[in-house]
């Protein structure tokens, strides 16, 4: 048995926690909606942003009361955070504030169910019914009821450039959102143009163009990260081609091993040592320091790579890199 009490034991106040001026108004609309009702409140909801309704209860009696909050409407159940449908107790003179949060999915206008061809139009207006009941001696009384219109609208910043009188027109806001969604990707692309021209952040489809821009040949044996690093440093590799610094830089970009500029040559992860010792010498000398047996090898250098066990590199590709970067008349030894 449900009835509305003329003298409710609970004082109930149901308020939309949204400024009135942000509601979807149709007062100045060119054409009113067919189903437009004179509802007391509107709640404007943006996809991905929470909206809130506050229910305030106060027990004015000297005895504890049993209350229950009931929410109904034609909106999807998952939008509302309130799921308690049992009676609860409120002590004398106690005041409760119950926030009801509503969240529209961020992809409301883009997902497949919203674009179902079986629907003639996308529903963007819903209703929510909030009722408060009181139970006394087995009798259930409805002490308050409030109806809100839920207006789901795309968030647009273009309306900020309009006079305030046009911001209140719901049709104008929805029309501007079409232009914003069409032009906003272009504006964002222009603002982030630097990222499209940097090989480290550019889309993968743009890498061939950037490589052609600096006359760099892409080798499919390299991973995507290595290709990005090589294209970005192509000019530096050209400048130092045929030098010790250029070869170390190339090996660093391919293998990912540190350059260790602050360490002695023998302790570096990428070590390149040239042999300057004299050959067979008669007289005071120290073998291995200032002379060597068997004679010297001019234009010869030794490359030593300290590769961790978990680090995998292609030794054949390393040799190809060395052959491309070293002077044609020089020889080398490679050790891992």
């Amino acid at each position: 048995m449900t009835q509305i009490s003329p003298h409710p034991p609970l004082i109930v106040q149901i308020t939309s926690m949204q400024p009135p001026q942000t509601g979807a108004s149709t007062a100045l609309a060119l054409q009113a909606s067919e189903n437009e009702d004179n509802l007391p409140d509107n709640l404007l909801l943006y996809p991905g942003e929470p909206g809130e309704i506050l229910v305030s209860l106060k027990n004015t009696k000297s005895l504890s009361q049993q209350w229950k909050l009931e929410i109904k409407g034609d909106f999807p159940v998952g939008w509302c955070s309130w799921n308690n449908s049992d009676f609860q107790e409120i002590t004398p003179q106690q005041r409760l504030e119950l926030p009801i949060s509503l969240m529209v999915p961020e992809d409301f206008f883009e997902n497949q169910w919203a674009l179902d061809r079986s629907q003639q139009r996308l529903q963007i207006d819903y209703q929510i019914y909030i009722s408060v009941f009181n139970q006394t001696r087995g009798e259930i009384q409805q002490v308050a009821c409030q109806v809100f219109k839920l207006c789901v609208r795309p968030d647009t910043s273009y309306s900020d450039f309009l006079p305030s009188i046009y911001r209140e027109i719901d049709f104008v806001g929805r029309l501007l959102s079409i232009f914003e969604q069409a032009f906003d990707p272009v504006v964002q692309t222009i603002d982030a143009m630097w990222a499209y021209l940097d090989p480290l952040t550019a889309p993968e489809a743009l890498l061939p163009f950037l490589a052609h821009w600096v006359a760099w040949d892409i080798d499919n044996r390299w991973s995507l990260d290595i290709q990005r690093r090589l294209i970005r440093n192509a000019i530096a590799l050209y400048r130092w081609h045929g030098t010790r610094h250029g070869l170390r830089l190339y090996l660093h970009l391919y293998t990912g091993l540190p350059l260790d500029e602050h360490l002695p040559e023998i302790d570096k992860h990428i070590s390149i040592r040239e042999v300057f010792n004299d050959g067979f010498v008669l007289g005071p000398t120290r073998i291995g320091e200032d002379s060597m047996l068997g004679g010297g090898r001019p234009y010869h250098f030794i490359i030593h790579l300290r590769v961790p066990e978990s680090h995998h590199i292609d030794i054949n590709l390393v040799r190809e890199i060395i052959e491309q970067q070293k002077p044609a008349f020089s020889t080398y030894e490679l050790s891992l």
Side-chain angles (χ1 to χ4, degrees):
M1 178 179 181
T2 303
Q3 61 183 11
I4 299 179
S5 174
H7 303 288
L10 299 176
I11 297 179
V12 182
Q13 185 177 6
I14 306 176
T15 310
S16 170
M17 302 303 293
Q18 185 184 75
Q21 62 270 21
T22 62
S25 173
T26 57
L28 300 177
L30 300 179
Q31 182 179 0
S33 174
E34 298 178 357
N35 299 324
E36 182 67 24
D37 296 326
N38 295 322
L39 300 177
D41 275 305
N42 290 338
L43 181 61
L44 186 60
L45 298 177
Y46 296 117
E49 299 182 9
E52 190 173 88
I53 299 175
L54 184 64
V55 180
S56 178
L57 303 178
K58 184 177 180 181
N59 184 4
T60 60
K61 303 298 182 179
S62 58
L63 299 176
S64 297
Q65 301 291 327
Q66 297 291 326
W67 65 274
K68 180 179 71 171
L69 182 65
E70 188 176 272
I71 298 177
K72 296 181 179 180
D74 57 350
F75 59 93
V77 180
W79 290 8
C80 184
S81 62
W82 185 267
N83 55 8
N84 190 352
S85 59
D86 298 330
F87 279 94
Q88 302 181 50
E89 183 179 355
I90 180 172
T91 59
Q93 304 304 319
Q94 182 182 2
R95 186 181 184 90
L96 298 177
E97 291 187 350
L98 312 172
I100 301 174
S101 180
L102 294 165
M103 175 71 77
V104 180
E106 190 173 1
D107 59 347
F108 174 80
F109 292 103
E110 292 84 11
N111 58 17
Q112 294 300 319
W113 70 266
L115 302 177
D116 188 0
R117 295 183 179 180
S118 63
Q119 299 180 2
Q120 295 183 355
R121 63 175 60 183
L122 177 64
Q123 183 179 358
I124 58 177
D125 294 331
Y126 301 84
Q127 290 186 6
I128 180 174
Y129 302 86
I130 303 177
S131 304
V132 179
F133 297 90
N134 172 247
Q135 184 177 21
T136 305
R137 298 177 182 178
E139 294 185 356
I140 299 177
Q141 301 175 343
Q142 183 178 4
V143 296
C145 181
Q146 182 75 29
V147 181
F148 288 90
K149 182 178 179 180
L150 305 180
C151 304
V152 183
R153 300 293 185 267
D155 191 10
T156 174
S157 59
Y158 282 19
S159 60
D160 298 338
F161 301 97
L162 296 178
S164 58
I165 187 173
Y166 293 110
R167 299 179 196 171
E168 300 177 0
I169 304 177
D170 182 44
F171 171 77
V172 173
R174 284 185 287 168
L175 179 63
L176 287 179
S177 67
I178 298 176
F179 293 97
E180 182 174 6
Q181 293 179 18
F183 293 116
D184 194 56
V186 179
V187 175
Q188 293 181 3
T189 301
I190 295 176
D191 292 341
M193 182 59 69
W194 63 269
Y196 288 85
L197 301 180
D198 189 342
L200 296 182
T201 55
E204 183 178 357
L206 197 60
L207 287 181
F209 166 75
L210 297 178
H212 180 74
W213 203 0
V214 294
W216 185 264
D217 294 330
I218 294 181
D219 194 328
N220 294 327
R221 293 175 296 175
W222 301 333
S223 66
L224 181 61
D225 292 338
I226 295 177
Q227 293 181 22
R228 291 181 182 274
R229 293 199 299 264
L230 292 174
I231 295 173
R232 194 174 196 264
N233 294 272
I235 303 301
L237 294 174
Y238 295 153
R239 182 183 298 118
W240 294 100
H241 183 83
T243 65
R244 173 179 169 182
H245 175 76
L247 179 55
R248 292 189 72 239
L249 178 60
Y250 204 136
L251 293 175
H252 160 68
L253 295 174
Y254 167 66
T255 63
L257 298 175
L259 290 175
D260 299 327
E261 297 290 358
H262 61 286
L263 296 178
E265 189 66 33
I266 195 173
D267 296 329
K268 294 179 178 180
H269 284 79
I270 304 175
S271 174
I272 301 178
R273 293 184 293 113
E274 299 180 63
V275 180
F276 294 110
N277 294 341
D278 297 330
F280 182 73
V281 178
L282 294 176
T285 183
R286 290 185 294 270
I287 301 298
E289 296 184 10
D290 55 4
S291 65
M292 57 191 296
L293 295 177
R297 299 176 61 183
Y299 313 113
H300 182 79
F301 58 92
I302 301 174
I303 302 176
H304 181 68
L305 301 180
R306 294 173 53 196
V307 183
E309 295 182 359
S310 59
H311 201 90
H312 175 72
I313 62 173
D314 187 348
I315 189 63
N316 295 325
L317 189 54
V318 170
R319 292 188 180 276
E320 290 186 21
I321 293 174
I322 298 174
E323 292 290 343
Q324 294 175 5
Q325 293 294 310
K326 75 177 185 65
F329 52 82
S330 62
T331 58
Y332 71 94
E333 296 178 16
L334 175 63
S335 64
L336 299 179

